Amino acid sequence: MARSPLFIKVYSGISVIVLALSAMVYSISVPYVESYTYAGETQHARMILDEVYQLVSDIQRQLDDYREQALHWHEKELQNLLQMAETLVRKRLGDETPPSPAAKQRLFEELRAFTYGNNDYFWITDYDSRVLSHPDPDLHGTDLSALRDIRGDLIVPPIVEIARREQAGFHSYWWRRLGQEEPSQKLSFFKDFPEYGFVLVTGIYLDDVEIEMKRMLGNAVDRLRQRLRSIKIADTGYVYIFDKELRMLIHPNPNIEGQDIAGLINPATGRLLTPELIQAADNPAGLSYLWDRPSDPGNYVYEKMAWLRYHPDFRWYIASSVYTEELRQGARELGRRLLRIGLAALVVSLLLGWLFARRIVGPVQDLARTAGRVAEGDLSARSVSGGRDEIGALAGAFNRMVEQLRDHIENLDAKVAERTAELEKAYAELQRIDRMKSEFLSSISHELRTPLTSIQGFASLVERDIQRVFRPLTAEDPKTGRKLARIEGNLEVILQESRRLAELITRTIDVSLVESGEAEWNDTPFRLRQAAEDALAKVSPMALEKPGLRLDAAAVADIRLRADRRYITDALIELLDNAVKFSTEGGVVLEAGLAAGEIRLSVSDQGIGIPPAEQERVFERFRQITQEDDLVDKPRGAGLGLTLCRGVVRHYGGRTELESAPGRGARVTLVLPARLLESKSEEQAGVTLDE
Amino acid sequence: MNKKICIIDDEVHIRALIEQTLEDLEDDHDVELISAADGGEGLEAIRTEHPGVVFLDVMMPVMNGYQVAKAVREDPALADVVIVLLTAKGQEADRRQGLEAGADRYVTKPFDPDEVLNIATEVLGLE
């Protein structure tokens, strides 16, 4: 099956289509899938970064919420405390105005002794920013109108101003806690007591909020660290965070955390790495750089991608870092899988294609084999291809055809055998008759010669005797002399006619021998012109009897032939003889030469011509042009001439040609092969008829 | 040279023709003419008479001309007998067959009487 050309054609066609389609689908889909997957991985990496950014923002919001909550709570607390202190103020000072100095003294002493919370307290200032009461002895009674906090802001005058304007309010400034040197932010709430001419102030330090927030932030960062360590981008990609001061906050490698990364050098470029990272912040394209691998430390040839986002509130740089190779890995794996699936599909397709091609080609092959056997003659061969398809129909029709063919051939064989037997029988009979005819001709000719010999011989003897014996005796007897002369004339007629008869017999025998193939051929070189002259000499006496006739043999090429000169000459004689015999005027033209690689000897005349119906048969033995009236026009000749011509040219492998029309003369041509030329040079030397 | 001429032909007219052609030799040169009407008779005549020349027809009863010629040639005593075949066919094959059988010359029928006379004169060395 695999060597069948049809199978190879069909299967290779299917294979080419399948392979081409596969290659096309693969070449279109795989790069697309790979780039799509890579884009997806990249997108995923950025999404992780966004998620972390969101987490950080959440922490920020939580801290903000806490701070707001804590402030609100502190404000509430301050308001409550001041309300309580106000009650105390009104109770001690009463409605008396101005209050008694003793009452005031007592109130101030009470307030100075009262602390709450984390050493928080009440103090009182007059409208000139002079401290009327304060738990700190250093401040008690001092003028604080010019006192500024660590930020350079006035502390007391703004309080007095807000209190005089709005009766109560909050103010924040930096102050040192009681018993501590370090200032911290303090939130104060105050109320104006215009009837007493002072402002009551209390405040709490907000450092505990800051501390709490720091603690919360620390916890959040710890949680974030845990979270980030569990995050993997692709295989080994990770997220890390450093702050604006280029200190590493969160990194999968704990050794790096807390370290200053400002001096970190990009080994591949030799430049500082952090400016490049900062430059790439919030750029969706990220930063591509070369780095080493944990499995291949120190070899900075592996491409990495980094995306960064800057969180302005925390002033953090959140960065993700991943090996590009790992981002591509998914795409690669997908591509490989597609390839494997594609190859499997290809193998299956080719296998199915093989089966399909076999299914199609098998019956055709069987049909072809069967047809081949039939062609070689095995008519018992039948195609076994079945099925309801066209091939099955073809096989069925073919089998029926072979069946019919066998029937016909068998019939035909029988008929041919029958006919052949009949023909063989008829042919044998014909051969027998032909042989009989030849033998008859031969023997009749022989039998004719014997009496002819006597006639001719005795006539000669009589003539001789007359010459020798009787002629001298008639010298004195004129009458007897005249009689004798007449006898001599008659004898001459007898001799002439018997010579003619002898010649006829010779020709008959010649024709018989030539026709039966028994003639002796004596091929010798001779000049064609010589043979033509001999032939002309033979017929010229007869031609001279017809005054209107002229013999022309000018166009006979001077070539030398190697053939039987006698037969060639005889053939020319026969042609000339016929021409002279059947014409009374015009030219009898003998032409001979080379034309188209053949030797052509032709004789033409302007005689009575040959009717078309006769032209086929004039070459047959004893055949003459049918005379319209046999009684008026007696047969001229024995009808052997053209038969001899035909026999001679056939012997040399040539042919005869006849052109003629009734009343318009005839041209008979003897065509002989060029090999009869004596030598090759004759071909060049010979004058062709066309010339 | 033996001046005997043997004429062997089954045709009486041919025998007569040759006899008449050669009769002058009988008168002028004492040549003796011997005739036979068939091959057997002819061979017998040749053996007994030992002629100088024999005119021998081919187609004859009892023995044909070739057989007679062959028999003559097989007899060393008759080696000097000149055999002239009288053949009617005139074909190369017949001539060759005759020469192979032992004939020295041949004459084709119909022949000119002078031809026969010339041969006889020449062979017998007559004037």
Side-chain angles (χ1 to χ4, degrees):
Chain A
M1 175 66 74
R3 291 202 195 118
S4 153
L6 181 63
F7 178 78
I8 290 168
K9 264 187 212 164
V10 170
Y11 186 58
S12 57
I14 293 171
S15 303
V16 165
I17 291 168
V18 167
L19 288 171
L21 275 177
S22 305
M24 203 166 73
V25 169
Y26 184 81
S27 64
I28 290 171
S29 67
V30 166
Y32 173 74
V33 165
E34 281 188 354
S35 78
Y36 187 79
T37 310
Y38 178 71
E41 290 282 354
T42 311
Q43 181 70 22
H44 180 62
R46 281 205 300 271
M47 269 170 62
I48 288 174
L49 192 65
D50 290 345
E51 234 172 80
V52 173
Y53 185 90
Q54 198 57 49
L55 278 176
V56 172
S57 296
D58 285 349
I59 292 170
Q60 168 72 28
R61 198 162 48 251
Q62 277 170 17
L63 289 176
D64 286 350
D65 286 354
Y66 170 76
R67 179 197 295 273
E68 200 178 317
Q69 202 88 41
L71 277 177
H72 183 69
W73 186 78
H74 280 306
E75 282 171 6
K76 213 71 186 166
E77 189 187 18
L78 286 175
Q79 281 172 335
N80 288 338
L81 283 166
L82 198 72
Q83 200 171 8
M84 191 185 74
E86 186 183 352
T87 311
L88 182 68
V89 168
R90 299 219 184 272
K91 190 175 167 189
R92 295 287 178 248
L93 297 185
D95 296 330
E96 192 183 348
T97 44
S100 69
K104 276 173 107 174
Q105 193 62 38
R106 197 179 156 198
L107 172 68
F108 293 166
E109 279 174 8
E110 272 185 85
L111 284 177
R112 275 206 298 277
F114 182 78
T115 60
Y116 59 93
N118 188 9
N119 257 350
D120 294 321
Y121 52 89
F122 292 95
W123 57 281
I124 295 168
T125 176
D126 65 8
Y127 294 155
D128 298 323
S129 303
R130 215 158 44 92
V131 178
L132 298 179
S133 170
H134 198 285
D136 188 344
D138 289 345
L139 297 176
H140 186 68
T142 56
D143 181 359
L144 297 181
S145 60
L147 182 70
R148 292 176 188 270
D149 69 6
I150 53 168
R151 292 195 296 203
D153 297 329
L154 287 169
I155 297 170
V156 183
I159 293 175
V160 174
E161 189 192 333
I162 294 166
R164 296 291 306 269
R165 192 171 63 235
E166 298 174 9
Q167 282 81 52
F170 289 96
H171 183 61
S172 176
Y173 57 94
W174 287 78
W175 195 248
R176 62 181 181 278
R177 191 181 285 273
L178 277 179
Q180 287 182 4
E181 287 301 316
E182 276 299 306
S184 63
Q185 197 182 15
K186 191 172 182 175
L187 179 67
S188 288
F189 185 64
F190 41 84
K191 188 172 169 69
D192 182 25
F193 289 86
E195 62 268 41
Y196 307 127
F198 61 77
V199 175
L200 176 60
V201 186
T202 188
I204 52 172
Y205 291 92
L206 292 176
D207 57 353
D208 54 344
V209 174
E210 294 301 324
I211 287 164
E212 178 61 19
M213 279 177 64
K214 249 179 204 158
R215 194 189 58 79
M216 285 174 69
L217 181 60
N219 287 344
V221 167
D222 281 344
R223 281 201 306 278
L224 191 59
R225 181 175 291 120
Q226 296 305 321
R227 182 72 207 280
L228 292 194
R229 281 185 184 161
S230 71
I231 286 178
K232 281 273 176 286
I233 303 172
D235 271 357
T236 60
Y238 54 88
V239 178
Y240 62 96
I241 297 174
F242 60 93
D243 64 15
K244 195 154 187 177
E245 282 70 41
L246 304 181
R247 210 160 43 86
M248 186 59 76
L249 296 177
I250 299 175
H251 195 277
N253 183 354
N255 297 333
I256 302 175
E257 278 184 3
Q259 286 193 1
D260 188 354
I261 59 168
L264 206 57
I265 301 288
N266 181 349
T269 60
R271 290 197 298 270
L272 287 172
L273 179 60
T274 43
E276 290 177 6
L277 287 170
I278 290 167
Q279 185 106 37
D282 297 318
N283 181 356
L287 172 67
S288 168
Y289 61 103
L290 296 175
W291 207 249
D292 64 346
R293 260 184 182 287
S295 59
D296 185 15
N299 188 15
Y300 292 88
V301 294
Y302 302 99
E303 193 185 16
K304 288 195 90 169
M305 277 305 294
W307 288 277
L308 290 96
R309 291 198 64 176
Y310 179 63
H311 200 284
D313 291 331
F314 280 120
R315 304 203 299 167
W316 283 357
Y317 288 100
I318 306 163
S320 65
S321 173
V322 62
Y323 288 104
T324 313
E325 184 55 36
E326 289 173 9
L327 291 178
R328 293 196 195 283
Q329 212 165 10
R332 292 261 164 79
E333 180 56 32
L334 199 57
R336 273 196 291 276
R337 252 180 224 188
L338 276 174
L339 185 63
R340 277 199 291 276
I341 292 167
L343 284 176
L346 191 65
V347 168
V348 169
S349 301
L350 291 179
L351 205 67
L352 289 174
W354 176 281
L355 293 175
F356 174 72
R358 259 177 78 111
R359 222 179 129 83
I360 294 292
V361 172
V364 175
Q365 214 179 6
D366 173 70
L367 203 51
R369 258 198 308 270
T370 311
R373 280 172 58 196
V374 170
E376 281 166 16
D378 179 5
L379 293 175
S380 67
R382 293 290 182 278
S383 174
V384 295
S385 300
R388 288 185 193 163
D389 56 6
E390 286 84 347
I391 294 174
L394 183 62
F398 177 77
N399 284 342
R400 285 196 296 281
M401 240 163 61
V402 174
E403 193 64 47
Q404 286 179 359
L405 188 65
R406 190 167 75 168
D407 289 351
H408 288 164
I409 285 178
E410 278 168 0
N411 276 338
L412 200 63
D413 280 347
K415 273 183 189 163
V416 166
E418 198 180 312
R419 291 280 189 279
T420 307
E422 284 171 14
L423 281 174
E424 274 171 0
K425 208 167 143 193
Y427 183 63
E429 181 61 18
L430 279 175
Q431 274 185 321
R432 197 180 63 80
I433 291 169
D434 198 55
R435 214 164 34 240
M436 272 173 63
K437 191 174 69 179
S438 286
E439 281 166 11
F440 170 74
L441 272 175
S442 183
S443 65
I444 201 78
S445 302
H446 181 262
E447 290 306 314
L448 285 171
R449 285 199 191 194
T450 305
L452 204 56
T453 307
S454 298
I455 293 166
Q456 237 177 304
F458 281 113
S460 293
L461 285 181
V462 169
E463 196 180 29
R464 194 181 66 182
D465 287 346
I466 288 170
Q467 291 294 334
R468 283 189 194 164
V469 183
F470 298 102
R471 178 55 69 188
L473 300 179
T474 57
E476 288 100 36
D477 185 356
K479 194 184 172 189
T480 311
R482 283 198 299 277
K483 202 76 177 170
L484 205 56
R486 217 176 76 188
I487 290 171
E488 281 178 321
N490 292 347
L491 270 177
E492 189 54 38
V493 171
I494 291 171
L495 278 171
Q496 266 183 22
E497 291 300 313
S498 61
R499 271 197 290 274
R500 227 175 92 185
L501 196 56
E503 209 167 285
L504 178 63
I505 291 165
T506 303
R507 274 167 61 194
T508 307
I509 291 173
D510 277 348
V511 169
S512 284
L513 291 170
V514 167
E515 286 232 303
S516 66
E518 291 167 33
E520 289 273 330
W521 298 86
N522 187 21
D523 289 356
T524 53
F526 66 93
R527 287 180 63 194
L528 184 60
R529 227 172 235 183
Q530 200 67 55
E533 279 167 17
D534 290 350
L536 283 170
K538 189 87 175 179
V539 296
S540 51
M542 186 164 67
L544 287 173
E545 288 170 15
K546 297 187 176 181
L549 218 54
R550 119 192 101 76
L551 284 176
D552 179 2
V556 174
D558 189 9
I559 51 178
R560 287 168 66 79
L561 303 184
R562 173 174 280 274
D564 189 303
R565 178 173 173 175
R566 188 171 74 86
Y567 278 125
I568 298 289
T569 310
D570 281 353
L572 291 179
I573 290 169
E574 297 300 347
L575 294 183
L576 290 167
D577 187 65
N578 277 345
V580 171
K581 219 182 282 175
F582 291 104
S583 56
T584 49
E585 54 188 11
V588 170
V589 183
L590 171 61
E591 293 169 293
L594 293 171
E598 293 171 324
I599 304 164
R600 298 176 70 87
L601 315 173
S602 74
V603 172
S604 53
D605 63 58
Q606 274 107 53
I608 60 170
I610 305 167
E614 296 286 331
Q615 291 185 6
E616 286 284 311
R617 310 178 66 184
V618 288
F619 291 97
E620 288 173 18
R621 233 185 314 195
F622 305 122
R623 171 66 60 174
Q624 281 206 358
I625 305 163
T626 310
Q627 304 300 326
E628 285 179 6
D629 187 345
D630 284 352
L631 294 176
V632 174
D633 243 342
K634 69 174 178 111
R636 289 174 264 188
L640 288 170
L642 288 177
T643 313
L644 179 74
C645 290
R646 187 183 60 176
V648 170
V649 295
R650 274 188 184 172
H651 169 73
Y652 288 115
R655 63 181 189 280
T656 51
E657 289 176 3
L658 172 61
E659 307 157 53
S660 181
R664 299 180 61 183
R667 173 197 284 270
V668 184
T669 305
L670 309 182
V671 184
L672 293 168
R675 65 179 166 80
L676 294 185
L677 289 169
E678 166 64 1
S679 67
K680 202 74 186 157
S681 60
E682 299 287 343
E683 279 183 58
Q684 283 103 43
V687 182
T688 69
L689 284 178
D690 297 335
E691 288 164 351
Chain B
M1 173 58 70
N2 197 329
K3 291 184 178 175
K4 283 181 184 170
I5 297 174
C6 190
I7 301 153
I8 308 170
D9 198 315
D10 60 329
E11 289 282 339
V12 65
H13 291 144
I14 302 293
R15 281 204 308 275
L17 179 62
I18 299 174
E19 280 166 7
Q20 286 185 30
T21 304
L22 301 176
E23 67 185 6
D24 286 352
L25 296 181
E26 238 178 343
D27 300 341
D28 301 344
H29 298 286
D30 294 334
V31 169
E32 189 185 341
L33 296 179
I34 305 149
S35 290
D38 66 55
E41 196 184 317
L43 183 60
E44 190 58 39
I46 294 170
R47 280 178 178 157
T48 53
E49 300 294 335
H50 198 120
V53 60
V54 178
F55 288 97
L56 180 62
D57 188 27
V58 174
M59 295 176 81
M60 284 184 302
V62 185
M63 281 178 89
N64 67 29
Y66 300 141
Q67 290 166 327
V68 173
K70 209 173 169 215
V72 170
R73 284 292 162 256
E74 281 167 1
D75 189 347
L78 302 173
D80 60 342
V81 176
V82 173
I83 300 173
V84 181
L85 273 183
L86 300 173
T87 164
K89 295 184 179 173
Q91 282 295 313
E92 271 307 309
D94 300 321
R95 288 172 199 172
R96 194 161 50 235
Q97 200 179 352
L99 295 177
E100 278 167 8
D104 298 290
R105 294 177 177 222
Y106 55 86
V107 171
T108 311
K109 289 180 186 175
F111 52 81
D112 191 332
D114 284 345
E115 199 182 348
V116 170
L117 182 60
N118 289 343
I119 290 172
T121 311
E122 186 197 325
V123 169
L124 294 181
L126 308 171
E127 268 306 305

